[in-house]
Amino acid sequence: AQSVAQPEDQVNVAEGNPLTVKCTYSVSGNPYLFWYVQYPNRGLQFLLKYITGDNLVKGSYGFEAEFNKSQTSFHLKKPSALVSDSALYFCAVRAPSGTYKYIFGTGTRLKVLA
Amino acid sequence: EAQVTQNPRYLITVTGKKLTVTCSQNMNHEYMSWYRQDPGLGLRQIYYSMNVEVTDKGDVPEGYKVSRKEKRNFPLILESPSPNQTSLYFCASLPIGPGANVLTFGAGSRLTVL
């Protein structure tokens, strides 16, 4: 069965420091992997995805993520955090088998401190 | 503007009083889906639809109904709401086809059942 784990409920980081939000997954075959961000009173917004190719993918707002097949991870990173990055982040996985089943993690709240 | 529109955004109701949350998309997407978001549980799929008149259960369909009479609309119906359906609900859509894999979300509907 497909699953996604976000082991940290909350991540605190000082403004200007690098940030990492962790995600590990379990899916058969080569997965499609996604990161979404949710700001207060807003829907989920797409940040970036990994489908195939280069393991390091770049997305919106300076975020990037690294796909690591051996560790089944897809951690979200940013070199220098901004206070405005404070939000709820969701990792999601989809098996590329032709279904459109997306499995979401439980979310990680990122708090960037000024 | 390409978007998914949900209404109402906020609703307080009482146990047993039927309600409908509407979802409409203007992108001609075939696939539409409803999720509920609960703290510590992430997003869980309620129902989805691959096209007009084609709907199927997600992971937590109990207590909900859906219909897909038109391509653009996918309402979520709670025939007899109960307090355990208090949640934040999201509608999402996606085109079906090669390379299509990013869900577009509505802004969310926060439902409280007393």
Side-chain angles (χ1 to χ4, degrees), chain B residues 53-73:
Chain B
E53 303 292 1
V54 181
T55 64
D56 209 346
K57 296 178 181 178
D59 299 313
V60 289
E62 296 78 19
Y64 304 95
K65 285 175 57 177
V66 293
S67 68
R68 188 93 181 270
K69 293 185 171 58
E70 304 165 285
K71 197 172 187 179
R72 63 183 293 124
N73 296 325

Side-chain angles (χ1 to χ4, degrees), chain A residues 9 32 34 36 38 41-46 49 51 88 90 94 98-107, chain B residues 9-10 31 35 37 40-43 45 50 59 88 90 94-97 99-103 105-107:
Chain A
D9 290 335
Y32 296 168
F34 305 85
Y36 285 84
Q38 183 182 21
N41 300 314
R42 303 282 295 275
L44 277 73
Q45 297 177 31
F46 170 72
K49 65 181 178 181
I51 304 301
L88 186 57
F90 288 97
R94 175 188 148 191
T99 70
Y100 288 82
K101 179 77 171 175
Y102 290 78
I103 302 295
F104 287 83
T106 52
Chain B
R9 293 288 314 281
Y10 303 91
Y31 179 90
Y35 299 88
Q37 181 184 347
L41 296 176
L43 273 75
Q45 190 179 47
M50 299 290 285
D59 299 313
L88 179 58
F90 287 103
L94 176 75
I96 289 179
N101 44 50
V102 176
L103 288 164
F105 283 86

Side-chain angles (χ1 to χ4, degrees), chain B residues 20-21 32-35 46-49 53-58 61 63-69 73-79:
Chain B
T20 299
V21 186
M32 297 184 75
S33 181
W34 277 104
Y35 299 88
I46 304 170
Y47 268 95
Y48 66 96
S49 169
E53 303 292 1
V54 181
T55 64
D56 209 346
K57 296 178 181 178
Y64 304 95
K65 285 175 57 177
V66 293
S67 68
R68 188 93 181 270
K69 293 185 171 58
N73 296 325
F74 190 45
L76 179 69
I77 303 156
L78 285 72
E79 293 270 1

Side-chain angles (χ1 to χ4, degrees), chain A residues 64-79:
Chain A
E64 57 190 29
E66 186 165 14
F67 170 61
N68 187 317
K69 188 170 183 177
S70 63
Q71 298 186 1
T72 61
S73 67
F74 189 55
H75 301 331
L76 181 70
K77 300 183 180 187
K78 188 174 182 181

Side-chain angles (χ1 to χ4, degrees), chain B residues 10-15 19 81-83 85-89 109-114:
Chain B
Y10 303 91
L11 179 63
I12 300 174
T13 190
V14 295
T15 298
L19 68 92
S82 63
Q85 293 177 298
T86 293
S87 188
L88 179 58
Y89 292 86
S109 296
R110 185 169 292 282
L111 171 65
T112 301
V113 183
L114 302 175

